[in-house]
Amino acid sequence: MHELSICHSIVDIVGRHAAGREVRTVYLQVGALRQIVPETLRYCWTLVNADTPLAGSTLQVDSVPGAVRCRACEHRQLLTDAVLVCASCGGRDVEIVAGEEFLITTLDLAEA
Ligand SMILES: [Zn+2]
């Protein structure tokens, strides 16, 4: 379960940025191609932060759908299945342009 190690990394990063301030919510953007289950991630978050200053904070996971761009005709489309074919020109020279994100976007901190 790689969600657990991901949560350990998030605790490290957020802990450094919060610099002792109380964190209420951590907002994440996670690409659909990352094979991360948001429910599992949120559950692991409560396990991992239990003995840290982040205990009680919430993980808000925003899922980003996968998308590809055709190199031949520039057509962009959402990635709906595993077959990478351009819906516009039928070309197979497509590149993934969204869905691999893993970003901590915002920290909601308590009032000082
Ligand atoms: Zn195309």
Side-chain angles (χ1 to χ4, degrees):
M1 183 158 46
H2 66 318
E3 279 86 352
L4 211 48
S5 58
I6 289 169
C7 282
H8 278 293
S9 307
I10 300 171
V11 165
D12 285 348
I13 296 166
V14 170
R16 270 198 307 262
H17 281 83
R21 288 166 295 179
E22 186 191 335
V23 177
R24 287 182 180 144
T25 311
V26 178
Y27 294 88
L28 288 184
Q29 262 190 6
V30 180
L33 304 179
R34 286 282 182 156
Q35 310 277 335
I36 292 168
V37 183
E39 290 74 27
T40 310
L41 201 58
R42 281 195 294 268
Y43 174 67
C44 290
W45 180 248
T46 63
L47 298 181
V48 166
N49 73 20
D51 295 319
T52 78
L54 297 173
S57 64
T58 307
L59 203 59
Q60 183 75 42
V61 184
D62 184 16
S63 188
V64 182
V68 293
R69 182 182 74 87
C70 175
R71 289 197 179 98
C73 74
E74 300 286 320
H75 178 73
R76 284 175 72 113
Q77 65 195 43
L78 287 183
L79 199 54
T80 48
D81 55 45
V83 185
L84 298 180
V85 178
C86 174
S88 177
C89 73
R92 289 175 181 273
D93 189 15
V94 295
E95 62 176 332
I96 291 169
V97 292
E100 294 182 312
E101 295 81 357
F102 193 89
L103 300 169
I104 297 169
T105 52
T106 313
L107 295 180
D108 185 14
L109 301 170
E111 305 285 317

